[in-house]
Amino acid sequence: MTKFSSNLKRYRQFNELTQEELANKVNVRRETIARLENAKYNPSLELAVRISRELNTPIEELFIFEF
């Protein structure tokens, strides 16, 4: 079983973005960002890349998958 954790909230706040602002920039709903921040939802590779680029942060810093 893969364990998923997220640093998204920390990096989003560092970039002074609200959940709504980040969601609009990466074309998802605010609820999706909230679920990602709480590790309740695993991002698709496409979404992870869009968020990574928007926050100028490597995917590996934002999302941690332990196998």
Side-chain angles (χ1 to χ4, degrees), residues 4-61:
F4 170 67
S5 58
S6 174
N7 293 318
L8 179 56
K9 183 175 182 177
R10 182 175 67 178
Y11 284 98
R12 176 183 57 78
Q13 290 175 333
F14 178 79
N15 283 274
E16 299 180 349
L17 293 170
T18 65
Q19 287 180 344
E20 187 74 33
E21 290 167 334
L22 179 57
N24 289 337
K25 289 177 181 285
V26 297
N27 298 316
V28 296
R29 295 174 47 196
R30 184 203 57 78
E31 292 83 2
T32 301
I33 300 298
R35 291 182 69 206
L36 286 168
E37 288 182 355
N38 292 311
K40 301 289 184 197
Y41 173 71
N42 293 345
S44 67
L45 180 56
E46 178 186 355
L47 179 55
V49 169
R50 288 195 321 243
I51 293 171
S52 172
R53 288 180 179 168
E54 188 61 45
L55 298 178
N56 195 32
T57 304
I59 292 172
E60 301 84 23
E61 296 283 328

